[in-house]
Amino acid sequence: MAEAHQAVAFQFTVTPEGIDLQLSHQALTEIYLSGLRSWKKRLIRLKNSVITGVYPASPSSWLFVVIAILATMYTRSDPSMGLIAKIQEHLPVSQSMSAQCQTVVSAVLFSTMLWLSLIFTMRLCLKQLLSYHRWMFEQHGKMSNTTKVWMALVRIFSGRQPLLYSYQGSLPNLPVPAIKDTLKRYLESVRPLMDSTEFERMTKLASEFESSLGHRLQWYLKLKALWAANYVSDWWEEYIYLRGRSPIMVNSNYYGMDFLYVTPTPIQAARAGNTIHAFLLYRRKLNREEIKPSRVPGTVIPLCAAQCERMFNTTRTPGEETDTVQHWQDSDYIAVYHRGRYFRLWVYQAGRLLSPREIEYQIQRILDDPSSPSPGEEKLGALTAGDRVPWAKVRKEYFSTGVNKRSLDCIEKAAFFVTLDDDEQGMMGEDPAASLDRYAKSLLHGKCYDRWFDKSFSVVIYKNGKNGLNAEHSWADAPVVAHLWEYALATDSFQLGYNEEGHCKGEVDSSLPRPQKLNWEIPSECQEQVAQSLAVAQALADDLDFHVFSFRVFGKGKIKKCRMSPDAFIQLIYTQMQREMFCLTYEASMTRLFREGRTETVRSCSNESCAFIRALEGGEAADVCRRLFRSASEKHQHLYRMAMTGAGIDRHLFCLYVVSKYLGVESPFLKEVLSEPWRLSTSQTPIQQVELFDLVNHPEYISCGGGFGPVADDGYGVSYSIVGENMINFHISCKHSCPDTGAHKFGAQIKKALLDLLHLLCPDQSESKKTEASPPEDKKDQ
C-alpha cells in the first residue's frame, strides 16, 4: 500500500505540546495547479456550450440586436409594434427605477427574445436545408440550379467558424422509410441470390408481413422516431455490440496500422513519447471543440460529431446480460502495459501537459523497471479477450473491492491504454508480405492478454519503433477513430519530430514522479478463469487467417480515367469473384448526415452486377460487358446514396425486429431476414485529412489503413483503402477452420480481377500483368 501514500500533502503527529502539523509546499502547489487546470477546462466547456447553443448566430450578435433596437427607439419608432410597452407594463420593478430605465430594460428583454427567435428560425431553416439530399443523386459535374441555390443558402445559414459540435442541433433526424419501399428494395437485393422457388416463397412472406404485422411495428417505430434523436443508433449499439456475449477481440474490435514504408525512429520509448503526446494534443483540441466539423468531401455539408464525445476516458464494462459503455469527463493519466505489469503514467505536471521528451523519459523508466508481475497479473488482460459472461462474473466477485478495484479503476478511467510490445513488427525481413500479415494479426489480437480490449482504443508501440492501434467498436465507427489516428501519425512525424539520435525533442524535468506500478491480489480461482478466457481467445486467434497487401499496379487515377467510381469498381470486383455462387455482400455506409447517425448496409451484390458477371462468363462481346458494367456501377452508386440518405434496408428491418421482440410477437419474415449470413463483409477507410499528408513529395509517408475480422465463420472480412492515385491497400481476414476460404487465395483473386476489369473497361489504360511497382525504401530515421 506504499503507493497510496506517495503524494500526501500534509503529515501530523500528536505530542505532549500539541499537534505538530507539517505541510508539503510542493504537494499543495500541485493540488492548486491541478484544480486550476480543472476549472479552466470547466470554463472552456461552459464557453463552448454557449457558443454552440446559439449557433448559427454568435454571442456577440445579441449586442448588435440590442443596439439596433435601442437605436430605432431613439428615432421615435417602435420596432416591437407595442410589445416593448406591454413588457414594461408587466415588469416587476421597484418604484425607484425611472421610466426611461424601465423602457431600456424592456427593450433589452424584447431584443433578447427577438434574438432567440432569430436563432431558432435560423436553426430550423438550416435543419430543413440539410434535409435536402437530391444533390447527391445528380450527375457529377452537372449541378442543377436548385442545388446551386440550396448550396448558397446552406453557406448563408451555416454561420462562420463553427465549433466541432456546432451543427448538432441543426442536423435532421433519421427518417423512417415507408415499409412498402423497404420490402421492395429488400426483395430486389435478394433476387440474384435465390432461385425462382425460393424467391417466390420470400415474396409471399414479405407480402404477409406487410399486410399484417408490419404496419403495427412501423407505427411504434415512427413513434420512437418522433421522440428520439435517432431511431436506430441506441438499439444498434445495445443489441449489435453490447449484448453480444462472444469475445469482442477479433469479432468486434478493429485495428489501424502505422506508416507502411517509414519508421520515424527505431527507439521504442521515443516513438511512444511522440505518439502519446499527439493523442493528448488531439484530446485537448477535442475538449476545446477546436477540431473542425467533418463534412462530406468537397461540400459544406456537415456530418454528425456525436461519436467523438466518448473517444477518450472511456471503457466498455462487462455485464452478465449486456455490457455498458462508461465515460468520464477527464483523466490526467494513461494506463501502460509492459511485460505482464500494469502502470499508471501521469501525463500532467503542475497543470501542464508533459512534453514528448518527458513522456519518453517516463516510458523508458517503465521499460527499465526490473520488477516482476504480481501472481496472476501477467495474463489478466485475457479476461477482456474471452467470453463476456465469465468476465462479468469475475469482475463482480474479485474486482469490486480493495486493491483490485483500485487498480482496475486506474485502467478503466485512464485516457487510453498503451502496450509496450517486445516484438518487432512492420514490413521487414526477407518476406515483407508475410511480415505484414503478422503485423495485422498482432494489432488485432496480440498475445490475447497484452491488450485491454475493453478500452475505447489501445495504442501498441513495438520494440523497433513501429506502432498501431486497436479500437473497441461499440462507442464509435472506424472513420471517427481513423480521424484521430491520421492526426497522431501526422503530428508525430511532421510537427513533433525527433533529434539526430532518434529521441524526442525538448528537455526533461528530472523531478517527475516515477510511473506507479499497479498492485493486484489475484486468487487462484480467478487465475483459473483467466486461463479459461485465454484458452478461448487463443483458439479464436489461432483460427484467424490474415493477408495484407498493397496493390500498386494502378489506383483511383486510372479508374477515374475510365469514368468509373473507384468504390463501385472495387465492389464489382468482389461480385466478379463470386462467379460460382453469389452471396450476400455487406458494404458499410455512413448515416452521419443525420443526428447520431452511424452506419447502414449497402447490399452491393445486385441484379445489375450479377448480370454483368453472367455476361462476362458467357463470353459476351466486350461492348456488351462494358455497358452492363457501367449499369452495375451506376446501380451501386445509387444504392450507396440511398443508404447515406436514410433509405437503406437493413437498419429499418433490424429496428422492426427489435420492436417485434418487445411486443412478444414472432415474424417468420423478419426472423429469416435477420438470420441471413453476410459471407462477405467489406468496408472502405478513406483518408479524411488529406492536407496533413504530402503524398506527392513524401509518398513513403502512407499508412496501410486498417482491418477487422471475418463476420461469418465461412466468409471473409475485407477492408480496403484507396491511397493517392496509384495505390490500393487490402486487409483480408477469414478462418483456417473453413476449408472453402483462404486469405491469400482471396488476395490473389482480387489482384487478378483488378487487372482483368481494367483491361476490359479501358484497354488503352491497362498495363500488362507485370509485377507490382517496387515500393519506396524503408526508412528508419527521418
Side-chain angles (χ1 to χ4, degrees):
M1 295 297 293
E3 76 284 352
H5 305 284
Q6 289 177 354
V8 177
F10 63 91
Q11 298 177 352
F12 69 91
T13 56
V14 179
T15 66
E17 290 77 18
I19 296 177
D20 182 17
L21 183 64
Q22 297 179 350
L23 295 176
S24 169
H25 177 72
Q26 181 180 0
L28 289 175
T29 302
E30 290 290 334
I31 292 172
Y32 166 75
L33 292 173
S34 178
L36 188 63
R37 170 176 165 266
S38 178
W39 276 104
K40 284 182 179 179
K41 285 190 172 184
R42 292 182 187 181
L43 291 175
I44 290 172
R45 290 194 186 103
L46 178 62
K47 182 195 73 173
N48 289 340
S49 296
V50 172
I51 294 174
T52 301
V54 302
Y55 195 83
S58 63
S60 59
S61 62
W62 172 82
L63 185 61
F64 174 81
V65 174
V66 170
I67 293 174
I69 294 298
L70 292 174
T72 54
M73 289 182 63
Y74 278 106
T75 60
R76 299 186 180 280
S77 60
D78 186 4
S80 69
M81 294 181 291
L83 284 177
I84 293 178
K86 287 287 184 182
I87 294 172
Q88 187 172 350
E89 290 177 10
H90 296 86
L91 197 65
V93 295
S94 64
Q95 297 297 325
S96 60
M97 184 179 291
S98 65
Q100 185 178 10
C101 186
Q102 292 180 29
T103 302
V104 171
V105 171
S106 301
V108 170
L109 289 174
F110 171 77
S111 301
T112 302
M113 290 187 292
L114 176 63
W115 179 65
L116 292 174
S117 299
L118 290 173
I119 291 173
F120 177 79
T121 303
M122 291 177 66
R123 185 172 290 185
L124 186 63
C125 290
L126 182 58
K127 190 170 186 176
Q128 292 300 316
L129 288 169
L130 295 177
S131 299
Y132 172 83
H133 297 126
R134 284 179 56 189
W135 62 273
M136 194 175 291
F137 295 89
E138 294 178 351
Q139 290 186 0
H140 184 69
K142 295 183 179 180
M143 187 182 296
S144 66
N145 291 331
T146 302
T147 299
K148 290 178 181 178
V149 173
W150 166 79
M151 192 74 75
L153 289 173
V154 170
R155 291 180 184 275
I156 292 172
F157 283 95
S158 289
R160 298 176 61 188
Q161 297 179 338
L163 298 176
L164 176 61
Y165 302 119
S166 291
Y167 287 107
Q168 292 302 103
S170 302
L171 290 173
N173 291 0
L174 182 69
V176 180
I179 193 167
K180 181 179 180 180
D181 295 338
T182 297
L183 295 178
K184 180 182 177 182
R185 287 192 287 268
Y186 168 78
L187 291 172
E188 183 183 356
S189 72
V190 298
R191 183 65 189 92
L193 312 177
M194 300 178 176
D195 58 31
S196 299
T197 304
E198 291 176 324
F199 183 71
E200 184 178 349
R201 182 183 65 84
M202 184 56 72
T203 302
K204 184 179 179 181
L205 283 176
S207 178
E208 291 174 353
F209 172 74
E210 181 185 359
S211 60
S212 57
L213 183 60
H215 288 290
R216 181 186 172 196
L217 302 180
Q218 181 81 345
W219 184 87
Y220 281 99
L221 209 54
K222 287 185 176 180
L223 189 63
K224 185 191 177 187
L226 289 174
W227 177 254
N230 190 297
Y231 78 93
V232 175
S233 294
D234 58 340
W235 284 352
W236 185 254
E237 179 178 306
E238 174 74 14
Y239 293 104
I240 297 302
Y241 294 116
L242 298 180
R243 286 200 178 231
R245 303 293 81 196
S246 59
I248 61 175
M249 184 199 79
V250 174
N251 293 328
S252 179
N253 285 30
Y254 53 94
Y255 68 87
M257 280 187 169
D258 191 8
F259 293 122
L260 188 58
Y261 303 117
V262 172
T263 305
T265 177
I267 302 174
Q268 185 179 20
R271 190 73 196 280
N274 266 8
T275 302
I276 292 169
H277 187 81
F279 277 118
L280 295 170
L281 289 178
Y282 189 94
R283 186 178 71 163
R284 185 164 65 186
K285 292 169 69 72
L286 186 68
N287 290 338
R288 296 176 178 178
E289 298 187 37
E290 294 174 351
I291 298 172
K292 294 180 180 179
S294 296
R295 303 178 187 272
V296 176
T299 72
V300 296
I301 310 305
L303 300 176
C304 179
Q307 296 179 49
C308 298
E309 295 173 353
R310 298 184 292 180
M311 186 174 292
F312 294 91
N313 329 313
T314 299
T315 195
R316 172 175 175 163
T317 57
E320 294 190 27
E321 292 186 2
T322 181
D323 294 354
T324 56
V325 177
Q326 289 187 289
H327 172 71
W328 292 268
Q329 281 296 325
D330 192 24
S331 178
D332 52 5
Y333 66 90
I334 60 174
V336 182
Y337 177 91
H338 177 242
R339 291 185 181 175
R341 305 155 306 164
Y342 292 88
F343 295 84
R344 170 160 46 184
L345 173 56
W346 302 97
V347 291
Y348 286 88
Q349 170 78 354
R352 66 170 180 84
L353 176 62
L354 297 187
S355 69
R357 185 70 182 88
E358 289 173 325
I359 297 176
E360 177 190 351
Y361 175 72
Q362 295 290 71
I363 291 292
Q364 192 61 52
R365 280 178 158 182
I366 293 176
L367 292 172
D368 296 337
D369 191 310
S371 62
S372 300
S374 304
E377 178 184 9
E378 180 180 5
K379 299 179 180 180
L380 190 63
L383 291 171
T384 68
D387 292 321
R388 305 302 293 175
V389 174
W391 172 209
K393 292 179 178 179
V394 167
R395 188 178 189 275
K396 183 178 181 181
E397 185 172 357
Y398 300 108
F399 296 90
S400 57
T401 59
V403 62
N404 287 347
K405 183 182 188 305
R406 289 192 292 273
S407 294
L408 181 61
D409 283 347
C410 284
I411 295 175
E412 294 186 335
K413 294 180 180 181
F416 52 89
F417 191 82
V418 176
T419 293
L420 302 175
D421 203 309
D422 281 340
D423 294 337
E424 295 186 357
Q425 297 292 350
M427 182 181 281
M428 58 186 186
E430 297 180 358
D431 190 355
S435 67
L436 276 182
D437 300 344
R438 290 192 298 270
Y439 183 20
K441 281 177 64 67
S442 175
L443 287 174
L444 193 58
H445 57 68
K447 296 182 177 69
C448 301
Y449 59 79
D450 54 351
R451 318 277 188 260
W452 200 265
F453 294 101
D454 285 354
K455 284 298 290 182
S456 55
F457 66 89
S458 300
V459 185
V460 184
I461 312 293
Y462 292 101
K463 188 176 182 179
N464 60 339
K466 276 291 180 189
N467 67 7
L469 176 142
N470 181 289
E472 200 275 317
H473 209 327
S474 65
W475 65 275
D477 299 308
V480 175
V481 177
H483 194 277
L484 163 70
W485 189 233
E486 289 172 8
Y487 176 89
L489 288 177
T491 303
D492 169 22
S493 296
F494 306 136
Q495 295 185 24
L496 301 177
Y498 302 88
N499 60 25
E500 294 180 356
E501 290 78 26
H503 292 283
C504 297
K505 299 176 181 178
E507 301 298 327
V508 176
D509 181 357
S510 59
S511 67
L512 290 173
R514 295 185 67 87
Q516 175 190 351
K517 183 180 180 299
L518 303 184
N519 288 336
W520 307 88
E521 295 176 358
I522 312 296
S524 57
E525 296 83 0
C526 182
Q527 293 182 37
E528 290 177 5
Q529 184 54 60
V530 170
Q532 293 176 21
S533 294
L534 179 58
V536 171
Q538 193 64 59
L540 183 60
D542 292 342
D543 194 25
L544 184 66
D545 185 18
F546 231 101
H547 183 41
V548 180
F549 69 93
S550 294
F551 183 81
R552 300 180 59 88
V553 177
F554 64 88
K556 70 176 181 181
K558 284 192 176 181
I559 297 174
K560 286 185 174 181
K561 287 182 180 178
C562 298
R563 297 180 181 179
M564 288 285 165
S565 161
D567 181 62
F569 186 91
I570 294 173
Q571 287 294 326
L572 287 168
I573 284 169
Y574 299 144
T575 308
Q576 183 190 1
M577 294 163 61
Q578 304 169 25
R579 299 170 184 176
E580 297 179 2
M581 184 178 68
F582 298 119
C583 73
L584 203 57
T585 303
Y586 182 111
E587 181 186 7
S589 164
M590 68 168 184
T591 56
R592 290 170 64 200
L593 289 170
F594 304 96
R595 190 171 183 177
E596 297 182 16
R598 292 200 59 164
T599 61
E600 177 57 276
T601 305
V602 180
R603 295 176 169 236
S604 53
C605 183
S606 63
N607 287 310
E608 288 78 4
S609 62
C610 294
F612 160 69
I613 300 303
R614 292 190 183 101
L616 195 65
E617 290 296 298
E620 295 285 350
D623 289 343
V624 175
C625 292
R626 291 190 194 104
R627 176 174 55 80
L628 290 173
F629 184 93
R630 295 187 185 280
S631 175
S633 174
E634 291 171 2
K635 179 66 175 182
H636 177 268
Q637 292 182 70
H638 178 75
L639 292 174
Y640 200 95
R641 291 161 181 163
M642 291 286 284
M644 284 186 64
T645 54
I649 300 168
D650 291 276
R651 300 300 178 268
H652 186 200
L653 294 177
F654 161 75
C655 288
L656 290 172
Y657 180 75
V658 173
V659 174
S660 73
K661 287 299 181 181
Y662 277 122
L663 296 179
V665 295
E666 288 290 334
S667 168
F669 171 74
L670 289 177
K671 185 176 181 180
E672 187 160 339
V673 170
L674 271 294
S675 64
E676 292 171 344
W678 298 95
R679 290 192 173 88
L680 181 56
S681 180
T682 71
S683 179
Q684 182 187 177
T685 309
I687 296 179
Q688 302 173 63
Q689 303 168 89
V690 182
E691 68 279 2
L692 297 181
F693 303 93
D694 185 358
L695 297 181
V696 176
N697 297 320
H698 300 285
E700 69 275 15
Y701 282 94
I702 52 175
S703 170
C704 198
F708 53 90
V711 175
D713 291 338
D714 58 347
Y716 292 97
V718 183
S719 174
Y720 59 97
S721 57
I722 302 172
V723 184
E725 297 293 312
N726 301 299
M727 186 177 186
I728 308 173
N729 296 320
F730 290 91
H731 300 247
I732 305 167
S733 64
C734 62
K735 294 190 175 182
H736 290 296
S737 56
C738 178
D740 299 326
T741 60
H744 287 77
K745 177 183 70 174
F746 199 75
Q749 292 174 340
I750 287 177
K751 294 175 185 178
K752 183 178 183 303
L754 283 166
L755 294 170
D756 289 346
L757 281 185
L758 184 72
H759 179 72
L760 170 69
L761 300 171
C762 308
D764 54 329
Q765 293 289 339
S766 64
E767 298 179 2
S768 60
K769 297 180 182 180
K770 58 184 179 180
T771 58
E772 298 181 15
S774 58
E777 294 183 2
D778 188 17
K779 300 182 181 181
K780 293 295 179 185
D781 293 282
Q782 297 296 322

